[in-house]
Amino acid sequence: LAGCGACTVDIKISHGTFMGKGSTGHWSFPDTIAPEATLRILGGYDDKFTRRTPFATPTVLQTSTERSQEVLRFEGKKHALKELYISGLVIDAAPGNKYDGKTNSLLKATSCTRALVRFGPMTVQRVVIADNVFINAAEKGMEPLFRAASDSAEIIVRNNLFANNLR
């Protein structure tokens, strides 16, 4: 992204449950300064990447039992993109939580309190977060740390499901 100019980079992810590198349940993007570039992270594809139906063929990013950071994280403090799309993902933190054996209630004090997704800080013109499921966060679903690239910048959050998150 940093060297592509005004390009669009699509990360297409097939359906299935993924645990990340080394089964850590974490995916990180380093500081990226590409103010003319678009990054689209798109889940829900079939095995041949010919059809995308996120809710019928979900892409699950599953955390590990020892979660110590966000499931999806944009690291650093200087991110800059023209556009960012996050679409078609199920982000589930249940394995990283602790539950009461008798009541199956979430034990907040002993569960990971990191957000499911952390953005930035990131300077952007347009952000679209659509068609995702954010579930089982012991604390919060997202930390949206965006800075507007201009007066016409926009953030669109639509058709997402937030379930079993404390806030």
Side-chain angles (χ1 to χ4, degrees):
L1 276 172
C4 76
C7 70
T8 296
V9 174
D10 289 339
I11 298 174
K12 296 179 179 180
I13 310 168
S14 68
H15 66 95
T17 300
F18 301 94
M19 293 291 297
K21 186 176 182 180
S23 295
T24 61
H26 302 125
W27 291 262
S28 297
F29 289 85
D31 244 348
T32 303
I33 301 172
E36 298 301 318
T38 297
L39 173 61
R40 298 189 304 197
I41 302 170
L42 307 169
Y45 280 93
D46 64 11
D47 291 332
K48 295 180 182 181
F49 293 93
T50 55
R51 184 176 160 161
R52 183 172 177 260
T53 53
F55 295 114
T57 55
T59 298
V60 180
L61 303 183
Q62 183 96 47
T63 191
S64 66
T65 57
E66 300 300 321
R67 183 166 85 98
S68 61
Q69 60 185 342
E70 298 81 9
V71 177
L72 181 62
R73 177 170 62 168
F74 290 82
E75 299 175 327
K77 297 182 179 184
K78 297 182 180 181
H79 285 284
L81 292 168
K82 179 180 178 187
E83 297 180 335
L84 172 66
Y85 293 76
I86 307 288
S87 180
L89 302 177
V90 176
I91 300 179
D92 183 7
N97 295 333
K98 305 295 184 226
Y99 296 90
D100 180 272
K102 292 180 182 176
T103 65
N104 202 30
S105 298
L106 177 70
L107 300 172
K108 182 179 174 184
T110 56
S111 295
C112 180
T113 58
R114 299 287 188 116
L116 296 177
V117 181
R118 183 175 192 276
F119 299 100
M122 179 184 294
T123 303
V124 292
Q125 181 61 31
R126 185 169 200 243
V127 176
V128 177
I129 300 170
D131 308 318
N132 300 290
V133 178
F134 301 94
I135 54 176
N136 300 312
E139 186 63 31
K140 53 191 164 237
M142 283 193 272
E143 284 184 3
L145 304 172
F146 296 115
R147 293 184 288 242
S150 74
D151 290 344
S152 62
E154 61 183 347
I155 297 175
I156 299 167
V157 179
R158 68 170 173 247
N159 200 35
N160 296 286
L161 173 65
F162 295 84
N164 204 32
N165 302 303
L166 292 185
R167 61 179 176 128

